[in-house]
Amino acid sequence: MDFKENVVVLTGASTGIGEALAHKLAEQGAWLVLAARNAQKLEVVATECRKRGGRAVVVATDVTDETECRELVERAVAEYGRIDTLINNAGLSMWMKLEDVEDLGSLEYLMRVNFFGSMYCTYYALPYLKQSKGRIVAVASVAARTGIPTRTGYAASKHAMVGFFESLRIEVEDDGISVTIAFPDFVASGMHTRSLGADGKPLGHNPLQVDKIMTSEECARRIVEGAAARKRQIVMSNRSRFGQWLKLIAPGRVDRIAKKAIEKGR
Ligand SMILES: NC(=O)c1ccc[n+]([C@@H]2O[C@H](COP(=O)([O-])OP(=O)(O)OC[C@H]3O[C@@H](n4cnc5c(N)ncnc54)[C@H](OP(=O)(O)O)[C@@H]3O)[C@@H](O)[C@H]2O)c1
C-alpha cells in the first residue's frame, strides 16, 4: 500500500494503461488527479476509482497546452494541498513510414503530446514534488531506446523523454525526488487504433495480435510496483532486456528484431 493517501497526478487517465494505473492506485487508497482531454471518460474512471477505495478528481487537460498543464498542477494542490507523485503517461503513436507522411505537422504534434506535454507537467509540479520528496514517472516505450520502423516521430519523442528525464533525475536526486522511466513493449490498448496514419488521421484499426501482447492491467501493475520501489527504469519484455545488451555488440540484429515485430504485430 505504498500509495495510500499519496497524491498522484496522472495524465492520460481516460483509457488504456492510464485507466489501469488509476484503478491500481485507487486500490491502494491513492488520492488521484485524473487528467486527459475527454472529461466524460475521466468521470467514469473517477467513479470506479472511488469504488476501489481511492479519492479522485477530474481535470480536463490537453497536455500540449502549457497553461492547461500549469492549471492541472494548481488544481491538484488546491484539492489535496500537495503532490506526491506525477505520472506522465499521456501519449500518442503513429503507424506510417516517413516517405508516406502527407503533413509533417503530424510528427510535430506527436512531439508536443509525448515530449512537451511531459515537460510542462513536470516543470510545474517540480516545486511541490521537492516539498514532498516525491516521485516522477515517465511512461516512455521500447521505442525510446531503439529505432522502430513506422515510428520515426514517435521514437524521436520517446527518446527525447528519456534524455529529459535521465538528466532531470540527476538534478533532483539531492532533493529526494525519484525518477522512474517505464519502457513498455507492445501493450493491448486503443493506442494502436488511434495511432496517426499517413494522412495524419487515426489508423482506425489495430494491426497488432492483441491476444499475444501484454495487457494494460499487467503493464500498469509493473509501473506501480516500479514506482513504489523508486526504480530507475522498468523494462517490460525479455526482448527489450536482451536488446539493450545486444545493441552494444550487434545493433543490426536489434534492427531486424524491431522490423520483424512490426511485420508480425507482436
Ligand atoms: N500501448 C502500447 O503498446 C504502448 C507501448 C509503449 C508505450 N506506451 C505508452 O503508454 C502511454 C499510454 O498509452 P496507452 O497504450 O494507454 O494509449 P491510449 O489507450 O491511446 O491512451 C492514451 C491516453 O493519453 C491521453 N491523451 C492523448 N493525447 C492527449 C493530450 N493531447 N492531452 C492529454 N491527454 C492526452 C488519452 O486521453 P484523451 O484522448 O481523453 O485525451 C488517453 O487517456 C503512452 O505514453 C504510450 O506512448 C504504450
Side-chain angles (χ1 to χ4, degrees):
M1 301 292 273
D2 298 274
F3 290 94
K4 189 171 167 52
E5 295 183 11
N6 192 280
V7 177
V8 183
V9 176
L10 170 61
T11 68
S14 62
T15 186
I17 298 167
E19 181 180 13
L21 280 167
H23 291 167
K24 294 260 177 303
L25 291 162
E27 283 162 11
Q28 295 197 17
W31 294 358
L32 292 155
V33 182
L34 305 174
R37 291 164 304 173
N38 189 325
Q40 266 182 326
K41 278 197 192 168
L42 287 176
E43 289 296 351
V44 174
V45 178
T47 303
E48 182 60 30
C49 287
R50 290 178 202 119
K51 276 192 207 152
R52 291 181 187 225
R55 283 174 66 180
V57 290
V58 161
V59 186
T61 308
D62 183 338
V63 296
T64 65
D65 185 318
E66 183 184 339
T67 305
E68 291 191 22
C69 293
R70 179 171 51 74
E71 287 168 357
L72 165 65
V73 167
E74 287 169 358
R75 182 68 205 289
V77 176
E79 186 71 26
Y80 299 122
R82 62 175 198 278
I83 298 174
D84 298 308
T85 303
L86 168 67
I87 306 183
N88 292 292
N89 167 74
L92 179 67
S93 189
M94 63 187 282
W95 204 298
M96 52 172 143
K97 285 172 75 176
L98 183 67
E99 65 182 15
D100 297 329
V101 173
E102 291 173 17
D103 177 358
L104 284 171
S106 299
L107 270 62
E108 281 184 31
Y109 185 66
L110 282 168
M111 193 61 93
R112 286 171 57 202
V113 177
N114 297 344
F115 173 65
F116 285 97
S118 302
M119 184 188 77
Y120 296 148
C121 293
T122 303
Y123 176 77
Y124 288 108
L126 205 53
Y128 303 103
L129 290 164
K130 262 178 103 161
Q131 284 170 16
S132 63
K133 299 190 187 307
R135 293 173 169 87
I136 298 171
V137 179
V139 182
S141 165
V142 285
R145 286 282 197 226
T146 197
I148 314 268
T150 74
R151 301 287 200 279
T152 49
Y154 179 73
S157 69
K158 294 293 182 177
H159 274 70
M161 280 180 76
V162 170
F164 177 85
F165 285 105
E166 288 195 334
S167 304
L168 182 67
R169 179 189 288 126
I170 306 166
E171 289 184 10
V172 300
E173 195 180 12
D174 291 344
D175 298 313
I177 303 174
S178 57
V179 176
T180 299
I181 306 177
F183 296 90
D185 201 313
F186 286 143
V187 175
S189 76
M191 185 181 83
H192 305 283
T193 306
R194 274 187 285 279
S195 292
L196 302 184
D199 58 2
K201 298 200 176 93
L203 205 57
H205 66 281
N206 188 346
L208 297 181
Q209 298 189 49
V210 180
D211 54 335
K212 302 240 167 61
I213 58 178
M214 186 179 280
T215 63
S216 289
E217 289 70 26
E218 175 60 13
C219 179
R221 190 188 66 74
R222 293 187 192 201
I223 293 173
V224 171
E225 246 180 50
R230 295 183 182 264
K231 282 192 176 164
R232 286 174 69 91
Q233 59 173 31
I234 309 163
V235 179
M236 299 209 190
S237 64
N238 287 336
R239 69 177 165 197
S240 40
R241 255 182 294 274
F242 175 61
Q244 284 178 35
W245 298 105
L246 189 61
K247 206 170 167 138
L248 299 174
I249 49 167
R253 273 199 63 197
V254 178
D255 290 354
R256 286 196 291 281
I257 293 169
K259 188 165 184 243
K260 210 165 152 199
I262 290 296
E263 284 166 0
K264 284 172 66 183
R266 54 182 284 199

